[in-house]
Amino acid sequence: MTRTAPEALEGQHSTAPPAAEPPSWQLRLRRFGYRPPAAGTLALGTRDRLDPPYTRPSPRVTALLGLGPAAADRLWRLSAWGGPLLVAAIAGVLRFWNLGKPHAVIFDETYYAKDAWALINRGYEGAWPKDIDKTILKDPGSVLIPTDPGYVVHPPMGKWVIGLGEKIFGFEPFGWRFMVALLGTLSVLMLCRIGRRLFRSTFLGCLAGLLLAVDGLHFVMSRTALLDQVLMFFVLAAFGCLILDRDRSRRRLAAALPVDEEGVLRPDAEIAETLRLGWRPWRIAAGVMLGLAAGTKWNGLYVMAAFGLMTVLWDIGARRTAGAVRPYLSVLKKDLVPAFVSVVPVAIATYLATWSGWLATDNGYFRTWAAKQDAMPNGGGFWSWLPEWLRSLWHYEYGVYQFHVGLTSPHTYESNPWSWIVLGRPVSYFYESPAPGTAGCPASAKEKCAQEILALGTPLLWWAACFALLYVLWRWAFRRDWRAGAIACAVAAGWVPWFLYQERTIFLFYAVVFVPYLCLAVAMMIGAIIGPKGSSERRRTFGAVAAGCLVLLIVWNFIYFWPIYTATPIPLEDWRARMWLDTWV
């Protein structure tokens, strides 16, 4: 029996009771733009709601370019990868330009560059002598790798990444920054593709990637051997994997639904509630990426919890769209256990694998702790039945946890997470004051120059992101837009956990983990400024001009702050002109 679409009943006589009025709270919220969940369900077909098509260029645009239908179609298909690759190439040139300068150990490179070198050569971090940095910069070949283990407070994955660059290019600034710059460039490419899939628009995807390419914080972190940029890469990769998994599972649901005599895909409650979605490799890949994220820095665990909840909610939405009457129960029966197994155990196994160097040696810090405990008169205690390596690792990790939660020593550049979004207190990684006529300082300068690397996001981009986040939250709460919910979830996963540690010493550069999603939020807001599909030509023209002005201002802002992102010597008065807030000094 063919199901009759609700829209087919319009205008016909029916004995069915009238639809119930929405609750009064929904009626009151309509003044703020709220739409009840069912308000737009008839506007799109089931197929388009499960697997929306990608936006194609307007015929007016292709006509303006003088392209025929066939040429426009080829250009559209080529732009899916051509556009992101072009944006990534621009980002790569910016990030690799003069990457070895300054020839110095800047900020926390003093820890991670040396730990990475020991890790890649010995399998564990060593206890380096003090004041070894100058010798490394002068003659790295003469530096002996310590054999005594060093106590480190972050998992090893990020240092494995940094060490790979050192293994290829040597124990010098370009070598220890190479892999971080490469991941920074690849993250721009990934964001272009993620944004394209998220918005179903190549233009908005490439715009999000371009914004990331010209963000100052992402740029500086891409040129510095710190762990947070590596963490950002793995988190973004996990986000992209889950987006791919979402599309793949929804296409499978759409393929299983019945098609009526008119060729229209119809919801089916039985199929939507009982269909098993089968092998989901992209979700497993997300579990691997989340394990690598946690293996870089522990705040990746918060991201894993948030993304795990997000992907389950996506399954609920998919089954509801396909016609499930009880989507929560259906997901509980069919999807919850596979989702957990695909993410959590995979992430744990991946995390443990990042410790392979430490596990393979007896020289790592605390590596033989459990064996020593077992050799004592009272033995290893209740947990002695567990493997020795696991107990030693647990003891090490517990000590690291105690260190992190107790880290309250004051620092010149510490900041509260409340101030991050407005760039309240950036971190200075490097500062020197060359005299006129030396080290690139113009001889005509009236006083010493300033040469600085400041981990500062592009101000106009971040301040625009403040409004974009409000728009995203409104879009998610009142328009039930899953894309806005995904962006908000990713920002919250990288930002909100730091509010739990108000007394801890924390820094603005930790925010680089959620910078890609700020760029997605701004791209989404710019899409709304340009105007939705079907808007009048006048509306689109004014919107495009306003959006173009905003993007150009952001790019100009990045260029203006370029000297203090790259340690380019500038006269002191020019440096002061760039200190827009007193807290930046």
Side-chain angles (χ1 to χ4, degrees):
M1 180 177 177
T2 304
R3 295 177 181 269
T4 305
E7 58 266 35
L9 298 177
E10 293 181 3
Q12 299 182 16
H13 295 290
S14 173
T15 58
E21 284 291 321
S24 59
W25 66 270
Q26 291 186 353
L27 295 174
R28 287 194 296 270
L29 287 177
R30 280 181 175 175
R31 72 184 68 179
F32 302 108
Y34 175 78
R35 291 180 181 174
T41 55
L42 301 182
L44 292 173
T46 301
R47 187 183 302 279
D48 286 348
R49 285 185 286 127
L50 284 173
D51 186 21
Y54 285 85
T55 303
R56 288 178 174 269
S58 166
R60 290 182 303 213
V61 174
T62 55
L64 185 64
L65 296 174
L67 298 175
D73 184 67
R74 282 196 301 272
L75 179 63
W76 180 77
R77 284 187 282 108
L78 288 173
S79 67
W81 273 103
L85 287 172
L86 177 61
V87 174
I90 295 171
V93 170
L94 293 174
R95 279 150 180 76
F96 281 97
W97 178 85
N98 251 350
L99 181 62
K101 301 295 178 68
H103 188 75
V105 179
I106 62 175
F107 200 61
D108 281 353
E109 284 185 344
T110 189
Y111 304 115
Y112 305 129
K114 291 180 292 191
D115 286 342
W117 185 242
L119 191 67
I120 205 75
N121 284 282
R122 297 202 183 279
Y124 61 92
E125 296 92 340
W128 290 88
K130 293 181 179 180
D131 302 324
I132 194 68
D133 291 353
K134 292 180 181 179
T135 306
I136 293 172
L137 293 172
K138 185 178 180 180
D139 185 13
S142 67
V143 176
L144 298 178
I145 304 172
T147 56
D148 292 336
Y151 179 70
V152 295
V153 294
H154 290 297
M157 186 60 214
K159 286 161 282 186
W160 282 117
V161 171
I162 294 170
L164 180 59
E166 293 175 329
K167 193 71 173 177
I168 299 171
F169 297 102
F171 192 30
E172 52 95 18
F174 183 87
W176 61 64
R177 294 171 192 160
F178 174 81
M179 285 301 298
V180 183
L182 179 61
L183 295 189
T185 302
L186 291 177
S187 67
V188 172
L189 176 61
M190 284 198 304
L191 190 67
C192 290
R193 293 287 299 175
I194 289 170
R196 179 180 183 272
R197 189 171 288 271
L198 191 71
F199 302 127
R200 289 303 198 260
S201 166
T202 301
F203 168 74
L204 290 181
C206 290
L207 175 60
L210 177 64
L211 294 175
L212 187 63
V214 298
D215 174 62
L217 181 60
H218 186 275
F219 174 77
V220 170
M221 296 297 288
S222 295
R223 294 167 57 86
T224 313
L226 270 63
L227 302 181
D228 300 84
Q229 186 79 344
V230 181
L231 172 65
M232 177 280 308
F233 176 84
F234 290 132
V235 169
L236 182 62
F239 185 78
C241 288
L242 291 177
I243 295 287
L244 286 165
D245 172 74
R246 182 185 186 274
D247 280 0
R248 187 175 183 272
S249 61
R250 290 172 78 92
R251 279 196 296 268
R252 179 173 173 80
L253 269 172
L257 292 176
V259 178
D260 64 15
E261 292 88 344
E262 299 175 354
V264 178
L265 196 73
R266 296 301 180 191
D268 186 285
E270 183 178 356
I271 292 175
E273 292 183 357
T274 60
L275 180 70
R276 292 190 178 277
L277 297 176
W279 172 250
R280 299 176 70 166
W282 285 114
R283 185 177 267 176
I284 295 173
V288 173
M289 292 299 110
L290 291 169
L292 294 176
T296 303
K297 292 188 80 171
W298 277 359
N299 42 320
L301 295 172
Y302 291 105
V303 178
M304 180 167 63
F307 283 8
L309 177 61
M310 180 176 69
T311 189
V312 170
L313 291 176
W314 285 349
D315 283 348
I316 292 171
R319 291 189 181 274
R320 180 190 289 119
T321 301
V325 178
R326 295 173 295 180
Y328 287 91
L329 182 60
S330 177
V331 167
L332 180 64
K333 291 180 177 180
K334 303 294 182 182
D335 301 321
L336 192 59
V337 172
F340 178 85
V341 172
S342 298
V343 175
V344 178
V346 170
I348 292 173
T350 304
Y351 176 83
L352 292 176
T354 66
W355 285 88
S356 57
W358 184 86
L359 294 172
T361 180
D362 289 334
N363 294 331
Y365 201 88
F366 278 146
R367 177 61 185 87
T368 59
W369 176 85
K372 293 176 181 177
Q373 293 295 310
D374 292 342
M376 295 177 67
N378 294 330
F382 176 77
W383 298 105
S384 59
W385 57 274
L386 290 173
E388 174 269 329
W389 64 267
L390 182 58
R391 285 182 287 139
S392 296
L393 181 60
W394 179 264
H395 178 74
Y396 190 178
E397 299 281 60
Y398 180 74
V400 169
Y401 172 77
Q402 294 292 100
F403 168 84
H404 281 301
V405 298
L407 183 60
T408 57
S409 55
H411 193 283
T412 303
Y413 293 107
E414 67 178 316
S415 61
N416 192 285
W418 288 107
S419 69
W420 290 356
I421 194 65
V422 293
L423 303 173
R425 183 59 171 164
V427 181
S428 180
Y429 286 172
F430 174 84
Y431 187 89
E432 287 188 354
S433 303
T438 64
C441 181
S444 58
K446 298 178 181 179
E447 52 186 330
K448 288 184 177 181
C449 287
Q451 187 179 11
E452 183 176 31
I453 295 177
L454 188 66
L456 172 73
T458 303
L460 293 186
L461 172 59
W462 281 65
W463 295 341
C466 295
F467 297 97
L469 286 179
L470 293 176
Y471 171 72
V472 161
L473 291 173
W474 172 83
R475 187 85 194 176
W476 174 51
F478 293 101
R479 293 298 176 88
R480 319 299 257 194
D481 192 326
W482 76 271
R483 303 168 301 173
I487 295 170
C489 176
V491 172
W495 186 16
V496 171
W498 292 110
F499 289 95
L500 303 175
Y501 303 99
Q502 293 288 312
E503 301 300 323
R504 190 186 186 278
T505 308
I506 52 180
F507 304 93
L508 185 145
F509 65 81
Y510 296 171
V512 74
V513 175
F514 59 84
V515 166
Y517 316 103
L518 296 184
C519 296
L520 287 173
V522 174
M524 190 174 189
M525 181 180 71
I526 288 176
I529 292 173
I530 293 174
K533 184 179 180 180
S535 299
S536 67
E537 186 172 352
R538 179 184 177 86
R539 165 71 178 83
R540 280 283 181 120
T541 301
F542 280 111
V545 170
C549 288
L550 176 58
V551 173
L552 288 175
L553 284 172
I554 290 171
V555 173
W556 164 82
N557 202 211
F558 173 74
I559 296 171
Y560 178 72
F561 282 98
W562 173 270
I564 63 172
Y565 293 147
T566 58
T568 301
I570 55 175
L572 198 57
E573 59 268 23
D574 291 346
W575 175 83
R576 291 193 187 103
R578 288 164 172 79
M579 297 297 105
W580 287 2
L581 300 179
D582 292 341
T583 55
W584 292 3
V585 179

